[in-house]
Amino acid sequence: MYQIIIVEDDDSAAETLEDCIERYGREFGMEFSVVRFASAVEFLKKERSCDLVFMDIDLPGISGMEAAELMRAYDKTTPLIFVTNLAQYAVMGYQVNALDFIVKPVSYYSFSMRMDKAVRAMERGGHKRLTVATRDGISVLEYWEILYIETVKHDLVYHVVGAPKDEEPLHVRGSLTKLEEQLGQSSFLRISSSCIVNMDHIRSMKNGEIVLSTGERLYASRARRRPCIEAFADYLGGSS
């Protein structure tokens, strides 16, 4: 059973989400336990862990975005979906590694698309790890935190979520082809001869341009554009 938290001050909006979660569970044979908090303060005082958070942005007192920033200080892995009246605010979610956002009023169709993605994230649970041998020792990276890996000369360069802009990315001697084999059937996609990207962080893909959750832009090579689009479409529909 997955534990879901809803942070929403509007009773009607909270009930709509609860109804959507219940319907999704019936349709896909899944069990969910739902707890609701009416404010960010109540949520931040919680003593229980959870598997997924639906967070309203426009909350009384501490906003949902501020609550998410505080949450990420101690919980970097739990999937987070913003629920909002104003989509322009939700796009800031990449700053707190939000999985996605839903615009109110919430329809079941819109909800189910985001829930498909959330289920994939919960099933992975952020527990897959990549052990990287560096010159100074060993680094362990969670799959979820890797944005993309590129080759620079003979090094693999790991770009991760939340890394300070003035901090040098992790450089490791290695082969992108061997790394791709090591990652196996996962969320990672080879977009060019020099780059592998984590599809969990892709927000759009068009004409070879790939926009990540951080706002960064990568580019698929011409030969890989169509295979990348097909692979990404398959990935998004994988749990439907």
Side-chain angles (χ1 to χ4, degrees):
M1 178 180 289
Y2 290 110
Q3 310 294 320
I4 298 177
I5 286 178
I6 295 173
V7 189
E8 172 63 74
D9 64 316
D10 183 276
D11 291 341
S12 177
E15 288 174 7
T16 296
L17 279 174
E18 289 174 9
D19 289 344
C20 286
I21 292 169
E22 183 180 351
R23 177 178 170 182
Y24 190 95
R26 289 197 308 269
E27 290 186 358
F28 293 94
M30 302 181 70
E31 291 187 55
F32 302 108
S33 172
V34 181
V35 175
R36 178 211 171 181
F37 296 102
S39 72
V41 172
E42 290 180 16
F43 166 69
L44 294 169
K45 287 181 177 179
K46 69 180 175 65
E47 296 180 354
R48 70 186 71 200
S49 60
C50 66
D51 299 296
L52 173 64
V53 176
F54 286 96
M55 178 84 72
D56 183 22
I57 290 183
D58 186 19
L59 292 169
I62 299 174
S63 73
M65 191 66 68
E66 291 170 325
E69 291 173 352
L70 292 170
M71 167 187 164
R72 284 299 185 229
Y74 62 86
D75 178 353
K76 299 185 183 301
T77 62
T78 300
L80 169 66
I81 296 177
F82 282 120
V83 185
T84 178
N85 289 311
L86 301 171
Q88 59 264 40
Y89 291 140
V91 296
M92 297 169 59
Y94 73 85
Q95 297 175 357
V96 290
N97 192 32
L99 184 68
D100 212 324
F101 67 92
I102 307 175
V103 177
K104 296 179 181 180
V106 176
S107 69
Y108 181 70
Y109 175 75
S110 178
F111 169 87
S112 62
M113 290 181 63
R114 275 70 178 184
M115 195 63 181
D116 285 345
K117 186 187 294 187
V119 167
R120 288 195 296 272
M122 289 190 291
E123 287 176 345
R124 286 190 296 274
H127 298 310
K128 286 189 177 181
R129 296 173 178 174
L130 184 66
T131 302
V132 179
T134 68
R135 297 179 180 88
D136 302 318
I138 294 176
S139 291
V140 180
L141 300 174
E142 302 278 1
Y143 274 26
W144 71 266
E145 67 179 326
I146 301 173
L147 292 165
Y148 62 98
I149 309 110
E150 63 177 337
T151 54
V152 176
K153 296 183 179 179
H154 298 292
D155 283 351
L156 298 176
V157 182
Y158 291 81
H159 298 264
V160 299
V161 171
K165 292 183 179 180
D166 58 350
E167 182 178 296
E168 182 73 12
L170 179 65
H171 284 246
V172 179
R173 185 74 66 172
S175 160
L176 204 62
T177 298
K178 289 183 178 179
L179 175 62
E180 187 177 26
E181 293 173 357
Q182 183 180 352
L183 293 170
Q185 297 296 317
S186 63
S187 60
F188 291 90
L189 174 67
R190 183 78 169 260
I191 64 170
S192 70
S193 61
S194 61
C195 187
I196 291 175
V197 64
N198 188 343
M199 289 187 283
D200 283 340
H201 290 288
I202 293 178
R203 291 296 176 264
S204 68
M205 183 185 295
K206 184 177 181 181
N207 297 326
E209 182 183 66
I210 297 167
V211 181
L212 301 184
S213 57
T214 58
E216 291 179 80
R217 284 171 164 74
L218 303 175
Y219 295 89
S221 64
R222 186 175 296 275
R224 294 180 185 266
R225 287 182 184 179
R226 183 171 293 278
C228 282
I229 291 173
E230 292 173 353
F232 186 49
D234 287 343
Y235 185 71
L236 291 177
S239 65
S240 299

